[in-house]
Amino acid sequence: MTRQPMTDARLIDLIEAWGADTNAFPETEREAASRRLAESPETFAAALDNARSVDGLLSGLPEILPSAALTARLVESAPKPARASRNWLAMLPRWPAVGAFASLAIGLVIGLNGIQPAATDSSEDAVDTLVYAALGYDSVSFDQETIE
Amino acid sequence: MAFTSDLDQIARAAAGDRQAASALVNRYSPGVLALASRMLSDRTEAEDVTQETFIRAWKALPDWEPRAKFSTWLHRVALNLCYDRLRKRRETLMDELPERTDPALMPHEALDQAERVRAVEAAIAALPERQAAALTLCALQDHSQAEAADIMEISVEALESLLARARRTLRTVLTERSEA
């Protein structure tokens, strides 16, 4: 933002907005403003006086600082290390895996020790009955008596 | 320099580094609190705004992209929270007179330092909110013109106009008060 040349009206605008200290002026206009002020100080005396009165009032305001309690609350609300939350999350997927393994193991134990032999016996009985019926015998016991 | 340092501390604070979070709080909470205090003229509300601003900052840290300076972003969040609170105040007090003190109506008495401070603070708080924000950011805090304009999401020219009006109003009000 380059403004050329520095007019009196523009310089008064700058003083009214940014105050009496030319260091507060926009950088691009600072040098030209300082030069014009040095050339004709009386032209801007009233504007500078008004600006200085406001500058003085503003600079007299006390600094506002956070209390130790507020600072502590702000730090306390900051993100916590990820490790603390990862422990909880890491535990969650393990339970379904443990459950699935337990179910598999229980199924295998029951299947090998209980259900399979029972199913074999009953299926053998059924097959025997069918075979003897097909041969014209009434039952297995008749067959055993004939053999004896 | 501060920008680079911010990026490093933001990354560490996002990972839960307490020292980095503490450094960010120490660096920026005074400015945020001062802005909110000048805007709201109420310490408790200003502290609430400061806390809400930092809570939002902490949430934003993991996805933080350095498109803007952290300081600018933080002050913008605080300023918008102040605008929200001032809007709610206006809605609540729609049928009532605002409780802001008009320094020009104070009784005759010499302006000692404490009274002058109170009068100036009241006069700033009585300014239209955008003028109060411009004055606070530029005249009371060390923000550059570009940064103040960025925080307020306006051009530097618009900022200059707000500042000029703010200073003019302040001078008129305080002159009337001292002459009363």
Side-chain angles (χ1 to χ4, degrees), chain B residues 35-55:
Chain B
L35 175 63
S37 297
R38 300 290 181 218
M39 293 297 296
L40 300 169
S41 199
D42 181 308
R43 176 78 186 202
T44 306
E45 275 202 274
E47 289 200 357
D48 289 347
V49 163
T50 305
Q51 195 152 9
E52 177 63 25
T53 301
F54 273 87
I55 286 170

Side-chain angles (χ1 to χ4, degrees), chain B residues 13-177:
Chain B
D17 183 329
R18 199 176 173 84
Q19 273 191 327
S22 187
L24 291 172
V25 166
N26 288 333
R27 189 178 305 154
Y28 295 119
S29 65
V32 170
L33 178 68
L35 175 63
S37 297
R38 300 290 181 218
M39 293 297 296
L40 300 169
S41 199
D42 181 308
R43 176 78 186 202
T44 306
E45 275 202 274
E47 289 200 357
D48 289 347
V49 163
T50 305
Q51 195 152 9
E52 177 63 25
T53 301
F54 273 87
I55 286 170
R56 292 188 185 200
W58 302 143
K59 284 183 184 165
L61 287 192
D63 303 316
W64 177 259
E65 290 179 26
R67 281 190 293 253
K69 280 173 73 178
F70 185 63
S71 155
T72 304
W73 181 87
L74 210 57
H75 283 83
R76 189 183 297 157
V77 170
L79 189 57
N80 286 330
L81 288 170
C82 289
Y83 287 158
D84 286 346
R85 282 177 181 252
L86 290 169
R87 194 177 309 119
K88 280 177 191 157
R89 269 192 209 170
R90 279 198 299 273
E91 287 166 6
T92 308
L93 301 173
M94 189 91 80
D95 299 325
E96 300 173 24
L97 283 174
E99 290 181 5
R100 286 176 169 183
T101 312
D102 182 350
L105 300 178
M106 285 181 172
H108 291 257
E109 56 194 13
L111 279 176
D112 66 16
Q113 181 59 23
E115 287 169 343
R116 187 177 292 119
V117 165
R118 279 199 296 275
V120 175
E121 286 176 337
I124 293 171
L127 288 171
E129 59 194 32
R130 278 154 47 89
Q131 290 183 29
L135 194 70
T136 302
L137 292 169
C138 292
L140 300 176
Q141 301 186 348
D142 289 332
H143 295 286
S144 69
Q145 292 146 1
E147 190 179 14
D150 206 9
I151 289 169
M152 294 185 68
E153 299 180 276
I154 57 176
S155 65
V156 173
E157 287 82 0
L159 177 71
E160 185 176 300
S161 170
L162 286 170
L163 268 177
R165 279 183 279 157
R167 292 175 67 98
R168 206 174 298 135
T169 306
L170 207 59
R171 185 164 51 81
T172 304
V173 166
L174 294 170
T175 303
E176 284 172 9
R177 187 223 185 286

